[in-house]
Amino acid sequence: MTDTTQFATFMLVLLVFWPSYNLALAVFVWWRPKPGGPEVPSRHPLEYWIIIPALNEERVVANTVRSALALDDARTPVQVVVVDDGSDDRTPHVLAEIDDDRLHVLRRTPPEARKGKGEALNHAFAYIRDIAEEAGTVHRTIVGVIDGDGRGEPGMLSEISAYFARRGVGAVQCRVRIHNRTNLLAFLQDLEFSCVVDASQSLRDVLGTVGLGGNGQFVRLSTLMGLGEAPWSACLVEDLELGLRVHLTGQRIRYATHATITQQGLVDVRRLLRQRTRWGQGNLQCLGYVPKLVRAKHVSSFALLEFLQYLLTPWLVAPMTLLITALVGFGFYAQFAGHEIAGFTVDGSNALLALGIWLVALLLPGLIWGLVHRLRHGDEPLWRCLLVSLAYPLFMVLGSVSTLRALYRHFAGRNTWAKTERLAEKEVPVVTAKPVPKIA
């Protein structure tokens, strides 16, 4: 095989792999088994404590608290704990205006406050643990986390309770969507969460490797207590680390395909890059769990590969981005210049054909997920789904840039972050519960 043929083969593999992977993932999520069958009856109703960490959340926290309290019913009684982590805006006043004995507000002040989301969650955990121990309800208490801008879907706790009725389930992660998707950038994030991440988590549910997210995670109180005094750490993605620690205990995390949490999407590119850089850097901080996962006897080979895939992605994306960029530039130069470089040469007459192939490979993944969004959700017009599909490659470029920034910050030892500013919201009316599909 000549050098030119080897080069062409390598480039073809790169071109085919990414669209093929996305197509296979989309087909899997489309044909995954639908929930059905009776719920597993529970001897005692589960008691839910929902933690809402709040730092300067005056614009959104009222809607979040009201939607969390609305999840309460006879089978899923709810208490809400808001951790005001040293807010210096009107957050305390907004919370004081909500008159409900199911709402518990924990006020943290400096120097204890503002040490990260993990510290705020641990503060609420200790409060809930003490109450549950005194009442003797630890075994049936579930702790949920909903971010300051999150809204729980009415009736979602029924599906979550059905998962917790099964032995060996230590945590459940909900599906996430974006509620301000009138903005194109926010719609791209909805496409990511409600289609791509939803498909990936569904596959992980089969493999037993579901990861926890910062919004919409529900964990048994007994599971959290088994992890020590501070279940959540100072890691930049404390949710991912908590999920890994739960898996290492041998308990399973399930993915709720219908129970949905909605949140605000970021509408500013700079803030989005900062968020994704933090996520990438947090992944790097969790690499220390790889040896523990390798040694864990209950982790299967397939599960281990999946864990490694999403832990090592930040390390692989950056060099692969540079490599592919160099190869693309090299290939087009060879085509248009018609010169032989390092044994490679391409006939310039094929340049338009090659360009067409590259465009198909570049645009196909976005078109796949835009179609999935339209068919599965049906809440956006077709033209918007096509528009967001065409913008998806640029969104992926932003992801690559944030990964490179994460690598730089990691090696530079820069771990501090500014709070993401929320967008102002109108008061959202409380919606009554609706039936949630039962699970098998």
Side-chain angles (χ1 to χ4, degrees), residues 254-328:
R254 297 302 304 271
Y255 177 62
T257 56
H258 290 85
T260 303
I261 295 287
T262 69
Q263 65 185 38
Q264 276 192 1
L266 297 175
V267 298
D268 179 85
V269 171
R270 184 177 60 181
R271 292 192 177 105
L272 180 69
L273 282 174
R274 185 171 62 192
Q275 178 197 68
R276 300 311 168 92
T277 301
R278 175 173 59 84
W279 291 358
Q281 192 173 351
N283 269 42
L284 299 177
Q285 293 175 341
C286 289
L287 278 177
Y289 285 91
V290 171
K292 298 177 182 179
L293 292 168
V294 172
R295 292 193 299 266
K297 295 181 180 180
H298 62 273
V299 177
S300 68
S301 298
F302 285 111
L304 180 60
L305 288 175
E306 178 61 20
F307 281 128
L308 293 176
Q309 182 269 323
Y310 68 79
L311 284 176
L312 295 175
T313 293
W315 293 95
L316 299 176
V317 168
M320 284 301 295
T321 299
L322 295 175
L323 176 61
I324 293 175
T325 301
L327 289 175
V328 170

Side-chain angles (χ1 to χ4, degrees), residues 62-282:
N63 285 334
T64 301
V65 169
R66 291 192 180 99
S67 67
L69 291 171
L71 298 176
D72 186 3
D73 65 29
R75 291 185 60 101
T76 57
V78 170
Q79 301 281 326
V80 175
V81 179
V82 178
V83 185
D84 181 2
D85 201 28
S87 298
D88 53 17
D89 64 353
R90 294 190 66 258
T91 296
H93 303 283
V94 172
L95 293 171
E97 291 174 355
I98 302 176
D99 183 16
D100 195 306
D101 58 8
R102 297 168 299 164
L103 173 62
H104 310 250
V105 179
L106 307 182
R107 172 74 173 171
R108 286 163 56 86
T109 57
E112 290 79 13
R114 300 196 178 199
K115 293 184 178 179
K117 182 179 176 181
E119 287 284 349
L121 295 175
N122 288 330
H123 186 72
F125 158 73
Y127 177 81
I128 296 167
R129 178 199 59 201
D130 292 346
I131 293 177
E133 285 182 329
E134 183 177 351
T137 58
V138 169
H139 64 288
R140 53 191 175 94
T141 297
I142 305 298
V143 178
V145 177
I146 296 179
D147 285 343
D149 61 337
R151 298 178 198 159
E153 182 179 83
M156 61 180 287
L157 296 185
S158 296
E159 181 184 359
I160 294 171
S161 294
Y163 281 115
F164 278 121
R166 286 151 176 77
R167 299 179 62 181
V169 175
V172 175
Q173 174 60 45
C174 299
R175 183 175 63 173
V176 175
R177 292 204 63 187
I178 301 298
H179 53 243
N180 62 322
R181 55 183 179 273
T182 52
N183 174 275
L184 179 60
L185 187 59
F187 190 10
L188 280 164
Q189 293 160 71
D190 187 60
L191 183 77
E192 175 189 36
F193 286 122
S194 70
C195 295
V196 185
V197 173
D198 176 63
S200 299
Q201 288 280 56
S202 296
L203 178 60
R204 290 169 186 164
D205 193 45
V206 174
L207 298 175
T209 61
V210 173
L212 289 179
N215 205 359
Q217 58 177 278
F218 290 82
V219 190
R220 293 186 191 274
L221 177 59
S222 57
T223 299
L224 293 173
M225 292 173 63
L227 298 176
E229 294 293 318
W232 288 276
S233 73
C235 177
L236 292 174
V237 281
E238 78 295 324
D239 49 320
L240 173 61
E241 184 175 29
L242 176 64
L244 293 173
R245 296 179 69 192
V246 172
H247 280 296
L248 287 171
T249 67
Q251 298 178 77
R252 189 172 181 186
I253 301 176
R254 297 302 304 271
Y255 177 62
T257 56
H258 290 85
T260 303
I261 295 287
T262 69
Q263 65 185 38
Q264 276 192 1
L266 297 175
V267 298
D268 179 85
V269 171
R270 184 177 60 181
R271 292 192 177 105
L272 180 69
L273 282 174
R274 185 171 62 192
Q275 178 197 68
R276 300 311 168 92
T277 301
R278 175 173 59 84
W279 291 358
Q281 192 173 351

Side-chain angles (χ1 to χ4, degrees), residues 305-368:
L305 288 175
E306 178 61 20
F307 281 128
L308 293 176
Q309 182 269 323
Y310 68 79
L311 284 176
L312 295 175
T313 293
W315 293 95
L316 299 176
V317 168
M320 284 301 295
T321 299
L322 295 175
L323 176 61
I324 293 175
T325 301
L327 289 175
V328 170
F330 173 81
F332 279 109
Y333 176 81
Q335 287 176 345
F336 286 101
H339 295 157
E340 181 176 331
I341 305 175
F344 301 132
T345 183
V346 184
D347 184 359
S349 62
N350 295 324
L352 291 179
L353 176 61
L355 179 60
I357 295 174
W358 273 100
L359 286 176
V360 170
L362 184 68
L363 298 176
L364 186 58
L367 291 170
I368 290 172

Side-chain angles (χ1 to χ4, degrees), residues 7-37:
F7 176 76
T9 302
F10 179 65
M11 295 292 286
L12 183 61
V13 170
L14 287 178
L15 282 172
V16 170
F17 170 76
W18 182 239
S20 300
Y21 172 77
N22 281 269
L23 180 60
L25 197 58
V27 170
F28 167 79
V29 74
W30 187 260
W31 291 104
R32 67 186 173 191
K34 297 291 189 294

